[in-house]
Amino acid sequence: MSASMQASAAEPILRLRGISKNFGAVSALTDIDLDVRPGEVVALVGDNGAGKSTLVKILAGVFQPSAGTIEYLGQQVILSGPGKALELGIATVFQDLALCENLDVVANLFLGHELSPWQLDEVGMELRAWSLLRELAARIPSVRQPIASLSGGQRQTVAIARSLLLQPKIIMLDEPTAALGVAQTAEVLNLIERVRDRGLGVIIISHNMEDVRAVADRIIVLRLGRNNGVFTAETTHQELVTAITGAAENSVTRRQKSRSDQAISREAGL
Amino acid sequence: MTNPDPISAASLDRADSRVRNDESFAGALRGFVDRIRSGDLGMLPVILGLVIISIVFTALNPVFLAPNNLVNLLFDCATVGVISLGIVCVLMLGEIDLSVGSMSGLASAIIGVLWVNTGIPLPLAIIAALATGALVGLVYAVFYTRLGMPSFVATLAGLLALLGMQLYLLGSTGSINLPFQSDLVRFGQIMIMPAWLSYLLAILPGALLLARGWHTSKRRVEAGLAPLAMRLVIAKAVTLTLALGIAAWYLHLGRGIPWMFALFVLIAVVLNYGLTRTKWGRSMFAVGGNREAARRAGINVNRIYVSAFVICSTLAAAGGILGASRLASSSQQAGTGDVNLNAIAAAVIGGTSLFGGRGSAWSAVLGIIVIQAISNGLTLLNLSSSLRYMITGAVLAIAVIVDSLARRSRVTHGRA
């Protein structure tokens, strides 16, 4: 926990105050506050429609907020487009990864940012790719393979490594473990911790409470577009579910109750 | 880090034990067989095709392999081949240009009208024809990127519109003869490279391959990566030099290698460099492979589409000019008939995928040699054009089927 102790002392890289976003009459986000400090993993959780994706899109520069301020490194900024966010140092790894399957790992890492555009520096790019992957202790067998031949976890690794290429201060991961198996999920979580240990701020969105509690320093719950509490990894599953669904009595608890009732009656029947 | 890295002594790219790094000839051969079996056919269909074509046509008419017939073949290849190079660019993006035939016809009409009828100097006429091509490509690109019109439909409309313009320009006479003594016609019919230059150019690719291999290898070692397998590079260079040398020697038993074919190969070399060694080429592959990913990586996708359509139409116009010089006339027939399909078929047969994201400039060069060899062989057999169309159509169908099957196999083998 030393990393998070140190993190809470540092100045936030990113500070959102009173962010709101309306789509016509619908307010997708209302009065959201969010701080991200260097070397900290912040998890955004919430049910479908809670506004997580809208918030990520605002930070990625895809949407502009209807109200509120964004401070980045102490300066108020306007994220007018995806290019602007990248330029400032806010990198996003989208859920569908957006990799070109027909190109190899090196080409994907450097896509749009190739070294020496008129005479590609393949050796330089390959070297940089290896050192980047090595810093992340990533297990990619060969960087000259097309992406099509990599597993889901390896693709996620490439996508994360690519977001780090431009040396961002903050990296946002949208559902990084959604499509992964057990071992690959663990690898990606390790990767997130390594990124954090390099002093970056990490924002992760996930539906998987276990993953969130395994890696997050702070868990921010969104509900119906509003802040609904800040929790830590020590929070119980029950408390988190309560915060997400907004009631101690909800479909999750009812289901658990009915299952345990069934189990009890089955035991009683025996 | 609980487990120490036992292999840190190995170069960065050789550290993972899961990758087979077999650099012997047997290893290279095994890799080649693996690639073929997974559907990564590369140049294999073309080479097989050429061998079969040569055997069949030589058996039917021995003239087919005579040096002078092959020289004629190269003259014919250059015109449609240049068009096919442009087709490679649009196919790379998963788009198509069906109007290249009409564009080449229009370019030949522009040459005839401006140069012969109006007396404007030839270079200016050529520039006008190429500029028209570029403009047409720009229009397609605007239709596609701004108006969301599928390239298939936009260029189909272009096919008719450009044909109409060609007929309008040529007027009632229907055809304009180009002066036989002019450089343009001599370029398309007689001009041959001197033998010494042919041999020199035959040595060049192998030498460049060696030099680049050696240079890259040195840089990789300096950077801490494993060097290239120089034995394989040398083997490749020697094979290439031998093949080109023998071809040059054989062609010089006849008239020699046409300058027009040299121009075609030069354009192919430039395009190949652009596609494989520049940021633009990388972006072309990326947009063809996954357009959304390319956009998110910060590539200006629309500009890539514009570049591809403009290059395609401009090269189609260039092909039309070469066609006019080959036939010594600008006629209503120029660019009609099978020109369109031959250009597209050449690219596909050579290994450029119709589905985007895969291809190379060399596919057009090799593909057009196959297409023209078939057409030339059938002409030697005095077959009627009805039969020739049917056979060429069947060959195109086979090429597309091979492409589709290979693609399916690549998907299941994780080669995209």
Side-chain angles (χ1 to χ4, degrees):
Chain A
M1 286 315 290
S2 67
S4 59
M5 301 285 273
Q6 172 199 344
S8 57
E11 272 299 295
I13 311 173
L14 188 71
R15 185 194 292 265
L16 304 191
R17 286 294 172 264
I19 292 288
S20 299
K21 176 69 186 175
N22 303 326
F23 294 105
V26 182
S27 39
L29 291 175
T30 315
D31 215 15
I32 297 287
D33 294 348
L34 174 72
D35 288 349
V36 182
R37 299 186 176 81
E40 180 186 42
V41 178
V42 176
L44 278 180
V45 298
D47 255 338
N48 295 337
K52 307 182 301 279
S53 304
T54 312
L55 189 54
V56 166
K57 281 181 180 156
I58 286 176
L59 288 177
V62 178
F63 291 158
Q64 269 62 56
S66 315
T69 58
I70 302 174
E71 268 182 38
Y72 181 76
L73 299 174
Q75 303 268 313
Q76 193 167 329
V77 292
I78 293 170
L79 302 173
S80 49
K84 175 76 176 171
L86 264 179
E87 200 182 297
L88 283 175
I90 304 176
T92 314
V93 180
F94 290 97
Q95 192 173 352
D96 60 357
L97 301 185
L99 298 170
C100 290
E101 299 211 338
N102 56 333
L103 296 178
D104 64 18
V105 176
V106 178
N108 267 289
L109 284 177
F110 283 86
L111 198 56
H113 307 280
E114 287 86 354
L115 303 182
S116 61
W118 292 103
Q119 193 188 350
L120 295 183
D121 179 6
E122 295 287 356
V123 177
M125 289 198 282
E126 186 168 338
L127 186 66
R128 182 80 198 285
W130 278 116
S131 56
L132 195 61
L133 291 171
R134 185 163 258 213
E135 276 172 46
L136 296 171
R139 294 213 145 263
I140 303 281
S142 160
V143 294
R144 288 297 176 195
Q145 277 178 300
I147 293 292
S149 65
L150 299 185
S151 70
Q154 289 171 331
R155 288 179 201 210
Q156 188 78 50
T157 307
V158 174
I160 294 175
R162 178 166 77 180
S163 71
L164 295 177
L165 186 74
L166 296 180
Q167 308 198 314
K169 295 275 193 298
I170 289 201
I171 151 169
M172 289 191 289
L173 305 165
D174 191 358
E175 292 283 1
T177 57
L180 301 184
V182 184
Q184 293 182 330
T185 300
E187 292 255 330
V188 169
L189 295 183
N190 287 342
L191 197 58
I192 292 174
E193 280 172 355
R194 274 182 227 116
V195 171
R196 176 191 65 193
D197 294 345
R198 288 174 56 173
L200 274 74
V202 181
I203 301 175
I204 143 172
I205 294 183
S206 181
H207 276 125
N208 189 327
M209 292 305 134
E210 265 177 56
D211 294 352
V212 164
R213 285 195 303 173
V215 78
D217 297 309
R218 284 190 299 137
I219 303 171
I220 295 183
V221 176
L222 295 185
R223 180 171 145 68
L224 302 177
R226 291 173 187 274
N227 277 113
N228 201 27
V230 178
F231 300 86
T232 60
E234 282 77 41
T235 318
T236 63
H237 185 79
Q238 192 66 46
E239 281 176 279
L240 271 180
V241 171
T242 305
I244 290 170
T245 55
E249 164 79 11
N250 56 53
S251 52
V252 180
T253 56
R254 277 196 296 276
R255 183 174 155 76
Q256 277 172 353
K257 188 167 182 306
S258 73
R259 278 182 71 103
S260 59
D261 286 351
Q262 276 173 12
I264 289 166
S265 60
R266 227 181 293 136
E267 274 170 29
L270 276 172
Chain B
M1 292 287 99
T2 45
N3 60 330
D5 203 342
I7 32 179
S8 55
S11 34
L12 278 172
D13 50 343
R14 292 288 184 268
D16 200 306
S17 55
R18 285 172 292 177
V19 186
R20 188 175 67 206
N21 291 302
D22 197 348
E23 269 148 20
S24 62
F25 283 108
L29 193 67
R30 198 154 50 225
F32 176 72
V33 172
D34 280 351
R35 266 210 313 282
I36 300 293
R37 294 178 69 167
S38 69
D40 197 352
L41 300 177
M43 302 293 177
L44 189 72
V46 174
I47 291 164
L48 274 182
L50 276 180
V51 170
I52 295 171
I53 289 164
S54 314
I55 293 172
V56 170
F57 283 126
T58 313
L60 295 173
N61 185 347
V63 174
F64 180 74
L65 270 189
N68 269 337
N69 187 48
L70 294 185
V71 172
N72 272 334
L73 183 63
L74 292 190
F75 267 114
D76 291 334
C77 282
T79 58
V80 188
V82 169
I83 303 174
S84 187
L85 285 174
I87 287 288
V88 167
C89 288
V90 286
L91 287 187
M92 192 77 96
L93 301 183
E95 299 300 326
I96 189 110
D97 186 342
L98 294 173
S99 70
V100 284
S102 301
M103 185 63 237
S104 71
L106 176 62
S108 104
I110 290 174
I111 293 288
V113 169
L114 287 188
W115 180 43
V116 179
N117 287 8
T118 339
I120 288 172
L122 180 59
L124 286 184
I126 290 178
I127 289 171
L130 293 179
T132 310
L135 188 69
V136 168
L138 194 64
V139 170
Y140 290 152
V142 168
F143 279 174
Y144 180 82
T145 58
R146 303 276 169 223
L147 308 178
M149 200 166 167
S151 61
F152 176 80
V153 182
T155 58
L156 201 55
L159 184 154
L160 282 178
L162 297 178
L163 181 60
M165 270 189 245
Q166 178 187 354
L167 299 182
Y168 175 80
L169 277 182
L170 290 172
S172 53
T173 54
S175 116
I176 300 166
N177 290 326
L178 306 184
F180 268 95
Q181 288 315 307
S182 65
D183 285 343
L184 185 67
V185 174
R186 283 166 31 101
F187 182 72
Q189 296 194 337
I190 326 176
M191 284 165 81
I192 294 290
M193 285 201 290
W196 61 268
L197 189 58
S198 305
Y199 290 121
L200 198 66
L201 290 179
I203 295 169
L204 200 62
L208 281 178
L209 200 66
L210 267 187
R212 229 188 93 197
W214 184 73
H215 178 72
T216 312
S217 210
K218 206 178 77 176
R219 279 205 58 204
R220 288 178 68 90
V221 172
E222 283 167 8
L225 300 169
L228 298 180
M230 276 315 273
R231 279 197 300 174
L232 287 183
V233 175
I234 293 171
K236 250 190 225 170
V238 168
T239 317
L240 190 64
T241 310
L242 272 181
L244 291 178
I246 291 171
W249 166 78
Y250 192 71
L251 290 167
H252 275 282
L253 291 181
R255 289 158 67 197
I257 299 170
W259 272 109
M260 196 158 81
F261 189 75
L263 175 68
F264 168 43
V265 173
L266 178 71
I267 299 174
V269 167
V270 171
L271 184 62
N272 182 55
Y273 181 89
L275 285 174
T276 57
R277 304 272 292 144
T278 68
K279 183 174 177 174
W280 170 77
R282 201 45 64 79
S283 305
M284 292 280 287
F285 278 95
V287 173
N290 185 342
R291 183 182 168 170
E292 182 57 23
R295 193 182 67 78
R296 290 205 204 140
I299 293 170
N300 187 334
V301 174
N302 282 352
R303 210 184 293 165
I304 294 296
Y305 278 107
V306 170
S307 71
F309 281 114
V310 167
I311 290 174
C312 180
S313 289
T314 311
L315 285 180
I321 300 169
L322 294 181
S325 83
R326 177 91 187 109
L327 298 172
S329 78
S330 307
S331 72
Q332 290 179 342
Q333 273 73 48
T336 57
D338 53 1
V339 172
N340 246 333
L341 276 184
N342 280 350
I344 296 169
V348 175
I349 288 174
T352 295
S353 173
L354 281 169
F355 306 99
R358 286 179 72 86
S360 93
W362 298 119
S363 68
V365 178
L366 292 172
I368 197 63
I369 293 177
V370 172
I371 292 276
Q372 289 296 346
I374 294 172
S375 145
N376 181 294
L378 294 175
T379 312
L380 286 181
L381 296 181
N382 266 331
L383 288 183
S384 67
S385 61
S386 56
L387 268 176
R388 279 172 38 203
Y389 279 146
M390 282 190 258
I391 292 174
T392 314
V395 170
L396 175 59
I398 291 169
V400 175
I401 290 169
V402 169
D403 179 35
S404 302
L405 292 182
R407 178 179 135 98
R408 206 183 292 168
S409 169
R410 283 197 304 272
V411 169
T412 56
H413 287 80
R415 280 185 188 268

